[in-house]
Amino acid sequence: MVKTSDKFRENAENCLQLAEGATNAQAALRYKRMAQAWSALATEQDWLDGYPGQSDRAGELAATRSMVCAIKMLAPLTSRLVRADS
């Protein structure tokens, strides 16, 4: 069974590939930011699943902040994708 965090990391890698093929700097930056957000979500998911990495309170707070930032960054993009599929 594939870990959820691995799926998130795959999404990050896909975003980086899209950034490499972007036709302008603005699109490339957007894809790179999305990759960072997916990577942050992967790290948070590993922590939630009990994998080693961030066991202290400072790590927990950093992971929570990263996840909140990632969600804020991805939410508008995800809602656009959902509407496009409807």
Side-chain angles (χ1 to χ4, degrees):
M1 186 164 150
V2 177
K3 294 188 323 185
T4 302
S5 59
D6 289 340
K7 291 179 186 176
F8 292 162
R9 285 186 183 88
E10 185 178 332
N11 288 343
E13 181 60 35
N14 289 339
C15 288
L16 290 175
Q17 290 175 3
L18 289 168
E20 289 177 12
T23 58
N24 61 61
Q26 184 180 11
L29 180 59
R30 184 174 297 125
Y31 286 127
K32 288 177 184 177
R33 287 181 179 165
M34 288 173 63
Q36 290 171 340
W38 281 116
S39 293
L41 286 172
T43 299
E44 178 68 13
Q45 189 64 51
D46 278 340
W47 178 80
L48 289 170
D49 291 341
Y51 291 102
Q54 297 183 355
S55 57
D56 60 285
R57 182 71 179 137
E60 291 176 28
L61 292 173
T64 301
R65 281 191 216 109
S66 294
M67 185 172 178
V68 169
C69 289
I71 290 170
K72 286 180 180 178
M73 187 181 298
L74 290 174
L77 300 170
T78 303
S79 65
R80 287 184 210 149
L81 292 174
V82 172
R83 282 189 222 130
D85 291 341
S86 298

